[in-house]
Amino acid sequence: METPYERYLRLPSLLSLQRPRTPRDDTARWPDERLFIVVHQSAELLVGQALVDLGTALEHTEAGRVRPACTSLRRVTALVEALDQHLILLDHLDPAGFGAFRPLLEEASGSQSPQFAALFDLVDEHGRAHFGRTRDTGGGAGTPPVRGEEQEEPAPSWRALHNAVTRWRVRHLLMVERMIGDGAGTGGTTGLEYLRSRIHLPPHRPPV
């Protein structure tokens, strides 16, 4: 009988989704492929929550609610930082072990993730717009800040989020380099060259 905890989280369904293509009796490859699947599925859950909170932040910003916008942005940043640390799990996947089941991925690639793409596009669009600002005057689209919220500014929160995404991209690049070197990506990308092109460093700001 399922416990209330299992029913609430739908654990039986959730735990049935890790289905390596490696035969179960292949004790050398099956655990490696399952780890690979677990890392990527759990990452998608975290990114999904980040998109929810980022959408909330943008709604607050548009309405001039600066303080709750910053609160939501900080949570998105925490989620991205968790994703950054999350990649450490793949340090425990040997490149030879990955290579053994990599053909089973066929054309599947992280570059095809619509959630990661949406998150990074939004952060690139809104985050880079706040570099170089020393003070914001309010919300988005000309909306003045709600009274009592003038002391908190969104620019630092956007910059922190943009920097967290950049750190994730760098760690991901280093992980891929360890796994496949200069080889092509599984989704037909150029591998490291493609990943390097996606790293957007903040503009240099001379010291004050």
Side-chain angles (χ1 to χ4, degrees), residues 12-205:
S13 297
L14 178 64
L15 298 178
S16 70
L17 298 176
Q18 296 74 51
R19 301 174 184 173
R21 293 177 176 177
T22 300
R24 182 66 176 87
D25 59 2
D26 187 340
T27 57
R29 291 194 302 169
W30 190 88
D32 285 344
E33 188 184 356
R34 190 178 190 282
L35 172 66
F36 185 82
I37 291 171
V38 166
V39 169
H40 284 79
Q41 286 182 342
S42 52
E44 291 289 345
L45 290 173
L46 291 171
V47 173
Q49 183 61 45
L51 284 170
V52 169
D53 291 325
L54 188 54
T56 300
L58 292 172
E59 290 175 4
H60 285 315
T61 300
E62 188 69 21
R65 298 187 292 267
V66 179
R67 186 170 299 147
C70 291
T71 297
S72 293
L73 285 172
R74 285 192 290 270
R75 190 155 80 178
V76 179
T77 300
L79 286 160
V80 174
E81 289 172 343
L83 284 164
D84 183 29
Q85 294 300 308
H86 189 254
L87 282 176
I88 292 176
L89 291 169
L90 292 179
D91 289 344
H92 299 276
L93 176 59
D94 187 77
F98 173 66
F101 69 80
R102 189 185 181 198
L104 300 177
L105 274 63
E106 297 177 348
E107 297 299 315
S109 168
S111 64
Q112 299 160 356
S113 168
Q115 290 200 126
F116 270 95
L119 175 65
F120 292 162
D121 286 347
L122 284 169
V123 173
D124 286 342
E125 176 187 353
H126 294 277
R128 282 189 285 180
H130 287 86
F131 278 99
R133 294 188 183 181
T134 57
R135 182 170 180 83
D136 287 327
T137 57
T143 305
V146 175
R147 181 176 297 275
E149 296 191 354
E150 292 86 349
Q151 298 304 311
E152 188 148 19
E153 302 172 9
S157 296
W158 276 110
R159 288 197 293 267
L161 175 55
H162 187 276
N163 289 340
V165 167
T166 299
R167 288 192 296 273
W168 182 93
R169 282 171 160 158
V170 171
R171 187 186 292 275
H172 181 252
L173 170 68
L174 295 174
M175 183 272 295
V176 171
E177 183 177 36
R178 186 180 75 87
M179 288 289 193
I180 66 172
D182 289 325
T186 53
T189 70
T190 54
L192 294 181
E193 180 182 346
Y194 168 77
L195 295 177
R196 290 190 186 102
S197 72
R198 299 292 295 165
I199 297 175
H200 305 304
L201 297 177
H204 173 69
R205 290 188 295 172

